[in-house]
Amino acid sequence: MTSTHGYADNNGLRMYYEVHGEAVAGRPPLLLIPGGGSTIGTNFGELIPVLADHRQVIAVEEEGHGRTRPTDRPLTAENSAGDILAVLEQLSVETADVLGFSAGGHTAVALALARPAAVRRLVLASTFVSRDAVPAEFWDGMAKATLDDMPDTYKDADRLLNPEPGHLERLFELDRRRILDFPGWSDHELGTITAPALVVSGDRDIVTAEYAARMAGMIPGARLLVVPGGHGDYLGEQAASSGDLRTMHATVPLLLRFLSG
């Protein structure tokens, strides 16, 4: 499997990206957006080789994550969507299928809203689009969260890539503020999404299966997939799967079926 990597500039933010596999005629590339605190490897290291057997995969790291350096601006879904558009422009990709995991799902929604023509099909995995998706205890816990609450998998990955003092703390605060300040989208805004969408959730995820079903109902024509699992183990996410990839291998054919249309 061939792979390349690079950086795309968006007004001073240099977003890191990787491209895996060869372009496939008639199939746009699949863009992967990791969740909060994550790198491409921690979220998608197991998934990419499986997907790249079927289509070209582009993966990015949002501001302050992995190899993408932080700036002075806030980390928001809309800012990251602009960074991703710079990546697609640099790669001469006019349209892509997009899978956003967790907080990366917020960026995927922002991308689909900001540039509908750039998103052919949309997969929203273990994410939410409104603040009532989780109970008040979630927001209280996030407000009081400290670096000690961050999974060791994420901390170890960041320290390996960015050993300089303060980087990990900056990453944690970027993600904490991003979630605390998340405004959500109105039903009207979500109703303007034109890309065929698939909402994916584990039955023991951060959001309930009932919320995932309600979320799918907010997006015109969206499909719903609830798998037996937690927050991302069905994608091979390292912190969630602990190396058990059986659920991932069972889920991938369903994702590919949706993406194939």
Side-chain angles (χ1 to χ4, degrees), residues 35-255:
S38 306
T39 64
I40 293 170
T42 57
N43 264 190
F44 301 126
E46 301 289 353
L47 184 64
I48 287 173
V50 179
L51 293 176
D53 281 341
H54 301 272
R55 62 200 302 150
Q56 189 174 69
V57 175
I58 302 169
V60 299
E61 290 174 337
E62 294 186 282
E63 178 173 352
H65 292 67
R67 302 158 187 85
T68 300
R69 306 296 297 175
T71 68
D72 293 332
R73 70 182 194 181
L75 174 60
T76 67
E78 289 72 23
N79 284 342
S80 285
D83 301 334
I84 288 172
L85 288 172
V87 170
L88 297 180
E89 181 177 354
Q90 181 161 309
L91 295 174
S92 300
V93 173
E94 294 184 358
T95 186
D97 292 337
V98 179
L99 185 157
F101 169 68
S102 194
H106 298 166
T107 300
V109 170
L111 183 62
L113 290 171
R115 190 73 63 85
V119 181
R120 190 190 73 116
R121 285 184 171 255
L122 179 66
V123 179
L124 302 175
S126 291
T127 193
F128 55 88
V129 292
S130 57
R131 291 185 67 88
D132 65 352
V134 289
E137 291 79 9
F138 172 89
W139 301 107
D140 292 340
M142 186 63 65
K144 298 172 183 175
T146 69
L147 185 59
D148 290 338
D149 298 310
M150 190 176 190
D152 288 340
T153 298
Y154 299 164
K155 289 190 281 192
D156 292 345
D158 187 72
R159 286 172 175 144
L160 181 64
L161 292 172
N162 304 286
E164 65 269 25
H167 188 278
L168 180 59
E169 290 75 11
R170 169 69 169 153
L171 166 63
F172 175 79
E173 189 59 22
L174 276 173
D175 284 321
R176 194 178 75 91
R177 290 299 341 160
R178 173 184 187 162
I179 296 300
L180 285 174
D181 296 338
F182 173 65
W185 290 276
S186 68
D187 289 359
H188 172 74
E189 289 171 308
L190 296 168
T192 66
I193 292 176
T194 57
L198 175 67
V199 174
V200 188
S201 183
D203 65 346
R204 296 182 177 180
D205 217 312
I206 288 178
V207 300
T208 64
E210 289 77 11
Y211 177 82
R214 180 160 70 91
M215 178 175 154
M218 300 176 192
I219 301 171
R223 307 294 300 273
L224 173 66
L225 173 62
V226 177
V227 301
H231 192 62
D233 53 356
Y234 58 88
L235 299 176
E237 203 276 340
Q238 286 183 8
S241 69
S242 299
D244 185 345
L245 303 180
R246 289 175 294 178
T247 305
M248 184 194 81
H249 285 294
T251 303
V252 165
L254 300 174
L255 296 177

